[in-house]
């Protein structure tokens, strides 16, 4: 019996050590009304193109870093490891899929069409056949993607351009006019392209931000310093491939890049509102007195507030950073002329690191009740 118990205990060891080695760090960015906020990286490579990791590692990394959805997008036309890895493109998805399933992650079948600029590189998502994209002619490759009802986006439009400023060529006009430029990376790896951001806003193109990681993510991102890889937030009705596809097609995305969120106001505003709470239980102060208003930020994103318009009865601090996972203080002072009684005040700020346009921060309001005493 004792021997049996020892054997039983020993048999548990691999399982226990697995549990200790693997922990997931959730990305704390809340869901918004009507939609799940899915954390997605839709551009990365493995040894099946010019990456340096085995496909299952991409699933492990995605899980550990708090992602919900990922796409391995190996180059269709470029496989420098082909002498060692001979089974070809598309195999990376097949190898990573069981691992993704085991971890409860969604993996989207994808590839990168890789041509010199113009037209440049394009990621294609929701494929049935990757090999169908293997055409000499770029337009035939795009047609093969269109035939599969794929989602097509322009990758790193500023890459290898002077000062990383993207150039819109005739090829892009054709793609766009034919309805085949569904999205664009406004962030790739460590680069943000403001001009691409502008194009997405003007032409209603879905905004994406992805890691385009080739090495193990730990070689590229300093997790200990609180860094994270660039990702796309997808606002989906459900955790299904169909819902993710619909959200991408409808432009329901935002980009999480360094300490910034970039996206439309309709998505960034509810993220802010669901993250930030007034922590002070009651606010009481006499005319001309100051008060420390305590405000908690439950998200992983710092919010850098710059005062917009003033409140007529109170003064309040111009610049405040609401640090992630912490409670910060906003100094307020009632004006000498403030009327005694209970009032609702609205502090108006612009969040400078939540970009709703190029160099345009998100306007927000913080409301609280205060009693002005005699
Ligand atoms: Zn590329
Ligand atoms: Zn790439």
């Amino acid at each position: 019996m004792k021997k049996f118990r020892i054997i039983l205990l020993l048999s548990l060891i691999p399982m226990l050590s697995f549990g200790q080695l693997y922990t997931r760090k959730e990305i704390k960015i809340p869901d918004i009304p009507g939609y799940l906020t899915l954390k997605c990286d839709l551009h990365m490579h493995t040894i099946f193109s010019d990456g340096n990791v085995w496909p299952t590692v991409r699933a492990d990394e995605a899980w550990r870093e708090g992602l919900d959805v990922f796409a391995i997008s190996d180059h269709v036309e470029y496989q420098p490891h082909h002498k060692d890895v001979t089974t070809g493109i598309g195999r990376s998805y097949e190898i990573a899929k069981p691992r993704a399933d085991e971890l409860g992650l969604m993996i989207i079948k994808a590839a990168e069409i890789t041509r010199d600029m113009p037209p440049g590189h394009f990621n294609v998502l929701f494929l049935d056949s990757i090999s169908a994209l293997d055409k000499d002619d770029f337009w035939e490759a795009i047609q093969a993607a269109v035939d599969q009802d794929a989602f097509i986006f322009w990758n790193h439009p500023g890459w290898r351009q002077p000062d990383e400023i993207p150039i819109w060529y005739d090829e892009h006009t054709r793609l766009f006019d034919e309805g085949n430029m569904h999205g664009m990376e406004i962030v790739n790896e460590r680069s943000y392209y403001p001009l691409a951001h502008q194009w997405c806003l003007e032409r209603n193109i879905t905004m994406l931000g992805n890691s385009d990681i080739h090495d193990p993510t730990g070689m590229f991102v300093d997790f200990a310093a609180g860094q994270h890889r660039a990702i796309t937030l997808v606002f989906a009705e459900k955790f299904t491939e169909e819902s993710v596809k619909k959200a991408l097609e409808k432009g329901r995305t935002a980009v999480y890049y360094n300490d910034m969120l970039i996206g439309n106001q309709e998505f960034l505003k509810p993220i802010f509102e669901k993250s930030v709470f007034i922590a002070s239980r009651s606010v009481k102060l006499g005319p001309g007195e100051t008060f420390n208003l305590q405000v908690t930020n439950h998200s992983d994103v710092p919010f850098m507030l710059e005062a917009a318009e003033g409140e007529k009865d109170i003064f309040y601090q111009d610049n405040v950073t609401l640090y992630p996972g912490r409670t910060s203080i906003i100094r307020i002072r009632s004006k000498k002329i403030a009327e005694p009684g209970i009032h609702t005040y609205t502090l108006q700020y612009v969040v400078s690191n939540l970009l709703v346009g190029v160099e345009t921060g998100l306007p927000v309001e913080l409301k609280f009740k205060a009693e002005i005493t005699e």
Side-chain angles (χ1 to χ4, degrees):
M1 188 62 189
K2 201 170 181 185
K3 199 169 158 195
F4 177 72
R5 242 187 243 156
I6 288 166
I7 291 167
L8 194 73
L9 273 173
L10 283 174
S11 74
L12 282 172
I13 285 171
M15 223 162 80
L16 290 172
S17 60
F18 177 89
Q20 282 159 357
L21 277 171
Y22 283 83
T23 58
R24 173 176 163 95
K25 187 187 178 292
E26 298 293 342
I27 299 169
K28 291 191 200 103
I29 298 176
D31 294 334
I32 61 172
Y35 301 114
L36 302 169
T37 299
L38 299 178
K39 287 83 183 179
C40 313
D41 185 356
L42 304 172
H43 186 172
M44 63 186 75
H45 298 273
T46 72
I47 56 162
F48 287 87
S49 61
D50 56 347
N52 294 317
V53 305
W54 187 248
T56 55
V57 176
R58 291 296 181 222
D60 290 340
E61 291 169 337
W63 184 78
R64 293 185 69 166
E65 294 171 41
L67 303 191
D68 304 302
V69 181
F70 71 106
I72 294 172
S73 51
D74 281 319
H75 300 285
V76 177
E77 306 87 342
Y78 180 54
Q79 284 116 27
H81 303 306
H82 69 274
K83 283 190 183 140
D84 299 308
V85 182
T86 55
T87 46
I89 188 161
R91 183 70 186 133
S92 47
Y93 172 84
E94 290 167 14
I95 293 170
K97 173 88 168 83
R99 187 74 177 141
D101 289 347
E102 201 182 313
L103 294 167
L105 297 175
M106 187 189 303
I107 176 169
I108 292 167
K109 194 166 179 179
E112 183 170 10
I113 298 174
T114 312
R115 305 296 162 110
D116 290 339
M117 189 74 97
H121 298 186
F122 293 82
N123 259 22
V124 187
L125 307 181
F126 309 105
L127 289 169
D128 296 315
S129 164
I130 293 174
S131 56
L133 306 180
D134 196 4
K135 307 271 188 201
D136 290 336
D137 180 68
F138 171 73
W139 299 105
E140 281 182 28
I142 288 293
Q143 191 54 48
V146 172
D147 291 344
Q148 298 181 55
D149 196 26
F151 183 86
I152 303 167
F153 63 92
W154 184 7
N155 294 340
H156 45 72
W159 184 57
R160 290 190 177 167
Q161 299 289 15
D163 295 323
E164 292 211 309
I165 296 170
I167 299 170
W168 184 284
Y169 292 93
D170 290 345
E171 284 81 351
H172 304 118
T173 300
R174 175 171 165 188
L175 257 183
F176 180 75
D177 287 349
E178 290 177 357
N180 295 330
M181 193 190 292
H182 308 132
M184 193 184 296
E185 281 184 338
I186 62 167
V187 167
N188 174 278
E189 226 179 62
R190 292 196 174 110
S191 301
Y192 161 57
Y193 311 110
L195 186 55
H197 184 189
Q198 190 62 39
W199 290 339
C200 286
L201 294 171
E202 286 166 2
R203 294 166 212 212
N204 207 14
I205 296 170
T206 301
M207 293 182 251
L208 296 108
N210 297 307
S211 74
D212 196 0
I213 190 85
H214 288 69
D215 290 317
T217 54
M219 299 291 285
F220 192 75
V221 181
D222 188 352
F223 300 111
Q227 291 180 356
H228 65 89
R229 64 168 109 176
I231 59 167
T232 305
L233 304 176
V234 173
F235 306 103
E237 282 160 5
K238 293 183 209 147
F239 184 62
T240 62
E241 198 168 293
E242 203 187 349
S243 272
V244 169
K245 190 175 182 200
K246 194 170 153 197
L248 287 169
E249 286 167 352
K250 301 249 177 209
R252 289 199 308 263
T253 63
V255 172
Y256 180 33
Y257 164 65
N258 294 341
D259 281 342
M260 289 158 76
L261 292 178
I262 309 166
N264 289 330
Q265 182 154 335
E266 62 176 308
F267 306 118
L268 299 195
K269 193 154 200 158
I271 285 176
F272 178 85
E273 286 170 352
K274 289 202 75 187
S275 301
V276 170
F277 297 88
I278 305 282
S280 297
R281 288 202 174 80
S282 69
V283 182
K284 219 184 233 187
L285 70 171
E289 282 181 6
T290 57
F291 184 86
N292 293 329
L293 187 73
Q294 298 194 27
V295 183
T296 305
N297 172 7
H298 289 291
S299 81
D300 274 351
V301 185
F303 296 121
M304 294 162 191
L305 309 185
E306 289 169 7
E309 220 170 296
E311 249 286 352
K312 66 178 176 26
D313 273 355
I314 55 167
F315 300 106
Y316 60 96
Q317 206 173 321
D318 282 341
N319 291 290
V320 187
T321 299
L322 304 178
Y323 291 99
R326 297 190 186 206
T327 298
S328 305
I329 279 171
I330 300 178
R331 300 273 286 169
I332 58 168
R333 182 159 57 86
S334 67
K335 294 185 181 170
K336 287 233 165 63
I337 51 157
E339 287 281 318
I342 293 173
H343 305 272
T344 299
Y345 292 115
T346 305
L347 308 184
Q348 303 207 23
Y349 283 105
V350 169
V351 192
S352 62
N353 62 321
L354 264 51
L355 293 186
V356 294
V358 178
E359 292 180 30
T360 307
L362 172 76
V364 295
E365 292 182 337
L366 290 173
K367 280 185 199 294
F368 64 97
K369 275 200 171 78
E371 185 181 352
I372 306 292
T373 55
E374 296 280 346

